[in-house]
Amino acid sequence: MSRDAPIKAEKDYSEILKEEFPLVDNLAKTDDAAALDKLLLLEKKTRQAADLASSKEVLAKIVDLLVSKNKWEELDEQLTLLSKKHGQLKLSIQYMVQRTMKYLDEDKNLPLKTKIRSIETIRTVTENKIFVEVERARVTRELAHIKRAEGDVEKAADILCELQVETYGSMEMSEKIEFILEQMELSILKGDFSQATVFSRKILKKTFKNEKYELLKLEYYQLLIKIGLHKRDFLEVAQYFQEIYETKSVKEDEEKWKAALSHMVYFLILSPYGNLQNDLIHKIQLDNNLKKLEQQESLVKLFTTKELMRWPIVKKTYEPILNQDTVAFGGNENKHHWDELKKRVVEHNLRVISEYYSRITLARLNELLDLSESETETFISNLVNQGVIYAKVNRPAKIVNFEKPLNSCELLNEWSDNVDQLLDHIETIGHLITKEEIVHGLKAR
């Protein structure tokens, strides 16, 4: 059972180690097994005396010896055995694990099979031990990188996603975020967008207010955009691009902010009409940077002006510029975005018509919307269900009524307002008549 080091060791072995280590080095040149036995004997003495500093030195010497002789398999065995020794100090185990990890990182010529075996040994030794949770996380991440490089993304995701780094108190915040971002990325590559969404919620967005996490913030929102595009939640995607656009480093780079602002416009016009969508698109319209993007500004103007748009003209005008954008409209994977854009154009036209007309024939409405009768009825039904407009279709007469009937309370309020206005007018007229009488009376005198 491992234990914490006491405040003071029972015996100080530092001077003894200074004498013994040169002898061990000489012995290792001819008989490394005997040198190892001598080190293990010293390890036992330092452990029993609870001399943390000396124990660390001996364990580091054991690792150095076995690595220098390229005996990685024996190192794995010793790491497992020594970590289980009764009374082994926690910090000594941690130091030995860290020393082994250092050599794993430095030795670029180490066979992959040997490296994987050593990583698995470290993972076994550190399992369920809080004092080496960070070391376990790092070797697990390394193993996930190896599996990903081999093309086994699913295995890499399973290995890395079992970690809950957000609970690690001894890990730096930036490293935690990097781990979670990698978990999100692997989940997305695996196709598990639900799991990626869960991981994304482990990062508090207010953390990114600190400028030192700016690069991580951009990476985080790029991953969220992939999740949003998969869910086809265009309003969320627009908000993610807004976060990118408002980042300091992006604001300072014209090419970057133009791309972010353009995408924000594209996904806002693809978003269904609502209070938040309407508010964001009007805020964008007031942004001075939008004036530098002619096509995007004209698109925003189309959707914020209460005028009809003709879909064939809109498509013909903007198709060349929109197809150049691979994120929003370009490529085969974004063809459905064109269908969404057509829906938004039709819905905008219906909202405009509902404000200007109280009644309209279905034939005329079909002509204005460039739709068939069944398509028009479908769009009207959807907008009515969403509460965006009020409409009733009289199918026998083929008339659409946009005027909402008033209930009894509204009728009484309207009548009361009309009566109040009438009385105000009568009173005003009375005052004017009295004034004229007085003026004429003075003139007659």
Side-chain angles (χ1 to χ4, degrees):
M1 182 182 291
S2 57
R3 58 178 173 140
D4 293 319
I7 296 171
K8 189 175 181 182
E10 293 174 16
K11 185 178 178 181
D12 187 358
Y13 277 86
S14 56
E15 293 301 321
I16 297 170
L17 293 184
K18 285 178 183 177
E19 296 173 7
E20 291 293 332
F21 279 175
L23 299 174
V24 170
D25 291 337
N26 288 329
L27 184 59
K29 291 174 184 177
T30 54
D31 189 352
D32 50 82
L36 179 62
D37 290 338
K38 197 170 183 64
L39 286 171
L40 289 172
L41 186 63
L42 287 169
E43 185 279 326
K44 183 178 180 181
K45 288 178 180 178
T46 55
R47 169 165 44 87
Q48 288 176 343
D51 185 357
L52 177 62
S54 300
S55 177
K56 282 183 175 182
E57 284 187 52
V58 175
L59 290 174
K61 195 72 176 173
I62 291 171
V63 174
D64 295 345
L65 173 66
L66 293 172
V67 170
S68 66
K69 299 297 180 181
N70 203 26
K71 292 188 173 182
W72 283 93
E73 197 168 340
E74 193 170 346
L75 175 59
D76 295 340
E77 291 173 10
Q78 290 300 331
L79 183 58
T80 306
L81 290 170
L82 290 169
S83 66
K84 292 179 180 178
K85 292 288 185 182
H86 182 72
Q88 186 63 273
L89 301 173
K90 290 179 179 180
L91 292 176
S92 296
I93 300 172
Q94 185 188 50
Y95 191 73
M96 189 179 185
V97 168
Q98 289 173 347
R99 192 81 168 185
T100 307
M101 287 169 62
K102 177 176 172 285
Y103 282 114
L104 282 172
D105 291 337
E106 289 176 354
D107 194 345
K108 303 299 180 185
N109 298 319
L110 190 67
L112 190 60
K113 191 175 179 182
T114 304
K115 189 172 185 178
I116 291 172
R117 189 175 61 241
S118 292
I119 288 173
E120 290 291 4
T121 302
I122 294 170
R123 275 165 50 80
T124 305
V125 167
T126 56
E127 191 173 8
N128 299 325
K129 292 184 175 73
I130 295 173
F131 58 94
V132 280
E133 62 185 4
V134 174
E135 286 73 20
R136 176 179 170 79
R138 287 170 183 162
V139 293
T140 302
R141 188 181 185 186
E142 184 63 30
L143 183 60
H145 288 167
I146 293 168
K147 294 295 179 185
R148 185 173 175 180
E150 290 175 348
D152 194 348
V153 174
E154 193 164 334
K155 183 68 176 174
D158 292 341
I159 289 168
L160 194 64
C161 292
E162 69 179 13
L163 297 172
Q164 294 184 345
V165 293
E166 68 278 4
T167 63
Y168 295 179
S170 53
M171 186 181 280
E172 289 288 330
M173 179 59 74
S174 57
E175 193 174 0
K176 283 184 187 180
I177 295 171
E178 285 172 10
F179 264 96
I180 295 170
L181 291 179
E182 200 160 336
Q183 288 173 333
M184 285 172 65
E185 187 181 6
L186 285 170
S187 298
I188 290 168
L189 290 171
K190 183 183 172 183
D192 192 344
F193 286 88
S194 299
Q195 189 178 39
T197 306
V198 171
F199 283 125
S200 71
R201 290 171 185 156
K202 292 181 178 181
I203 301 175
L204 295 175
K205 291 178 182 177
K206 66 181 181 182
T207 307
F208 295 122
K209 289 180 180 178
N210 192 329
E211 284 187 11
K212 71 177 182 179
Y213 302 132
E214 205 166 273
L215 291 174
L216 295 173
K217 174 187 175 180
L218 295 174
E219 190 179 340
Y220 174 67
Y221 281 106
Q222 289 294 345
L223 292 171
L224 284 181
I225 285 164
K226 290 180 181 179
I227 296 170
L229 287 173
H230 175 77
K231 295 192 295 184
R232 298 192 182 183
D233 193 333
F234 301 123
L235 186 56
E236 275 192 4
V237 174
Q239 288 175 287
Y240 299 149
F241 274 115
Q242 184 182 23
E243 291 288 346
I244 293 171
Y245 172 66
E246 290 173 355
T247 305
K248 186 181 177 183
S249 61
V250 173
K251 281 275 192 183
E252 291 170 353
D253 189 326
E254 187 174 343
E255 190 177 338
K256 287 180 180 178
W257 71 250
K258 278 185 175 180
L261 186 58
S262 298
H263 289 127
M264 192 178 166
V265 168
Y266 296 153
F267 287 103
L268 273 176
I269 63 174
L270 284 173
S271 305
Y273 179 82
N275 291 334
L276 180 57
Q277 185 267 355
N278 192 42
D279 182 55
L280 284 174
I281 202 166
H282 278 88
K283 279 181 180 176
I284 273 194
Q285 197 175 21
L286 300 173
D287 194 323
N288 289 328
N289 283 337
L290 189 63
K291 293 172 184 176
K292 298 176 183 178
L293 301 169
E294 189 180 336
Q295 296 288 340
Q296 289 76 9
E297 186 186 18
S298 62
L299 262 175
V300 169
K301 191 174 180 181
L302 283 176
F303 281 89
T304 52
T305 308
K306 292 182 180 179
E307 292 179 5
L308 293 180
M309 293 184 273
R310 304 304 292 265
W311 168 245
I313 297 171
V314 171
K315 188 175 182 183
K316 184 180 177 182
T317 306
Y318 295 100
E319 193 170 22
I321 185 77
L322 294 181
N323 274 333
Q324 292 174 16
D325 187 90
T326 54
V327 177
F329 292 98
N332 291 327
E333 68 277 7
N334 293 324
K335 279 187 176 178
H336 63 279
H337 288 176
W338 283 101
D339 297 330
E340 290 294 326
L341 183 60
K342 183 181 179 180
K343 285 181 185 177
R344 301 292 91 84
V345 169
V346 173
E347 288 170 2
H348 169 84
N349 289 342
L350 266 173
R351 290 199 311 276
V352 172
I353 291 167
S354 68
E355 288 190 28
Y356 285 108
Y357 285 84
S358 56
R359 297 174 74 208
I360 188 171
T361 62
L362 205 51
R364 177 60 178 154
L365 189 58
N366 296 337
E367 188 182 334
L368 292 172
L369 298 175
D370 297 303
L371 296 174
S372 65
E373 190 173 307
S374 60
E375 287 174 328
T376 301
E377 288 186 9
T378 302
F379 274 104
I380 291 171
S381 300
N382 290 336
L383 289 184
V384 169
N385 287 334
Q386 293 165 22
V388 176
I389 63 169
Y390 173 87
K392 276 193 174 181
V393 181
N394 185 338
R395 279 185 170 172
K398 293 192 180 295
I399 290 174
V400 182
N401 187 2
F402 292 110
E403 193 171 10
K404 190 175 181 180
L406 300 175
N407 59 37
S408 54
C409 290
E410 288 170 334
L411 280 169
L412 282 171
N413 287 336
E414 188 180 349
W415 180 82
S416 176
D417 286 340
N418 290 339
V419 170
D420 287 341
Q421 286 177 21
L422 178 63
L423 292 173
D424 286 340
H425 290 321
I426 291 170
E427 190 176 357
T428 304
I429 291 165
H431 284 308
L432 290 171
I433 290 169
T434 306
K435 180 183 174 183
E436 290 295 322
E437 287 177 346
I438 292 168
V439 170
H440 283 292
L442 288 171
K443 282 182 180 179
R445 288 181 187 178

